[in-house]
Amino acid sequence: MKAYVEPEEITLMEKATTNLRDRLLIRLLFHSGCRVSEALGLTVEDVDLGRSTITIKHLKARLKLSCTDCGQRLGRSHTFCPKCGSKVEKAQAEQQEHHRQRVLPVDGETLSALKDYIHRGGPVLRGGKRLIFGINRHRAWQIIKQCAERAGLPKLVNPETGRVHNVSPHKLRDAFAVMAVKQNDSGDGLRMLQEHLGHQSFNTTAKYRKVSGKELRDWYQRLWGKKGP
């Protein structure tokens, strides 16, 4: 049982697809390392064929609750205000939206597939936007799972919990990160990976050293690399 998908296995998944859209979805998730929500939100205008880049736009909405009597910040589980002691019957809600974006380079073959797909009329017009894929998260999850099964890929195990999972869109993002760590796990390499993946915390990126097995392997090799007395 494996913890992540190998690049050659993703190639088998691409070959198991029955249409260009599904093949492009698999390729984009792996080659860009983007989140499935980011891939599904991608529009034609976000693809810059001249510069070989895609612009990933990330919108995060956060609900801020506060006491109507004193304005104290509240959590969802609060029954009484921790500042004034008033019973929280109706909290004042304010939705805060955080907009972030990052521009990612795209390899030539993936860019060529994007260009071909766009010229064939693949994008879907919805809400005034020309979405590249025009499908929801559930359908994307189904596509990845079915292609993995047709390609004969085994299920994956979480190395920390032991739970077994199907191959999912996020596992293709993980595959990109593990491949990047295997090729360059230096401090600079991990920082570039953090920026590329859009992680706020460096610790989130660093976990891929553990997933790849490189962290433990390096530690073990250092032990035996030292000569005993």
Side-chain angles (χ1 to χ4, degrees):
M1 196 72 73
K2 299 171 58 178
Y4 57 88
V5 185
E6 301 281 1
E8 54 270 22
E9 292 177 317
I10 294 175
T11 299
L12 293 177
M13 287 179 62
E14 287 188 51
K15 291 179 179 178
T17 58
T18 57
N19 58 72
L20 180 57
R21 183 201 66 190
D22 294 355
R23 186 159 62 254
L24 180 61
L25 176 63
I26 291 171
R27 186 170 188 86
L28 191 67
L29 286 170
F30 174 55
H31 281 254
S32 72
C34 66
R35 300 174 178 91
V36 64
S37 58
E38 294 170 340
L40 298 184
L42 200 66
T43 67
V44 173
E45 290 69 31
D46 294 329
V47 180
D48 191 328
L49 296 174
R51 295 185 178 181
S52 301
T53 62
I54 56 173
T55 299
I56 299 294
K57 295 171 183 174
H58 185 64
L59 171 62
K60 188 173 184 179
R62 184 175 297 168
L63 200 62
K64 181 181 177 182
L65 302 176
S66 57
C67 176
T68 54
D69 292 335
C70 69
Q72 172 68 26
R73 181 76 179 269
L74 301 174
R76 293 179 181 273
S77 60
H78 277 132
T79 305
F80 293 92
C81 175
K83 183 176 181 181
C84 68
S86 298
K87 187 173 182 180
V88 180
E89 295 181 352
K90 187 177 180 182
Q92 183 177 355
E94 176 187 351
Q95 182 166 301
Q96 297 179 327
E97 292 186 345
H98 302 272
H99 296 265
R100 299 197 306 270
Q101 73 173 38
R102 62 191 193 280
V103 179
L104 304 181
V106 181
D107 64 279
E109 194 171 339
T110 302
L111 194 72
S112 178
L114 269 167
K115 183 178 180 180
D116 185 31
Y117 179 76
I118 292 171
H119 286 174
R120 289 190 186 191
V124 176
L125 184 62
R126 186 168 297 157
K129 297 180 180 180
R130 290 191 296 165
L131 295 171
I132 294 294
F133 296 106
I135 57 176
N136 59 29
R137 290 173 66 99
H138 179 67
R139 181 58 189 141
W141 192 92
Q142 284 182 324
I143 290 169
I144 302 304
K145 178 177 178 290
Q146 290 168 358
C147 288
E149 290 174 347
R150 286 201 294 267
L153 270 60
K155 292 188 177 183
L156 303 173
V157 63
N158 185 310
E160 295 182 346
T161 66
R163 292 184 60 184
V164 178
H165 301 272
N166 290 307
V167 177
S168 65
H170 196 81
K171 295 301 180 183
L172 302 191
R173 174 174 162 89
D174 288 347
F176 169 86
V178 170
M179 181 189 71
V181 167
K182 283 184 172 182
Q183 292 189 20
N184 183 358
D185 72 329
S186 67
D188 287 341
L190 289 175
R191 280 190 291 273
M192 290 298 294
L193 179 59
Q194 178 186 3
E195 182 179 337
H196 187 94
L197 294 176
H199 286 157
Q200 293 297 295
S201 170
F202 179 77
N203 291 336
T204 305
T205 309
K207 75 175 184 179
Y208 286 109
R209 292 195 81 244
K210 184 175 182 180
V211 173
S212 68
K214 189 168 179 60
E215 188 173 46
L216 183 60
R217 187 164 55 251
D218 288 351
W219 171 80
Y220 187 79
Q221 288 174 346
R222 282 195 300 269
L223 286 181
W224 291 105
K226 296 178 181 179
K227 295 181 179 179

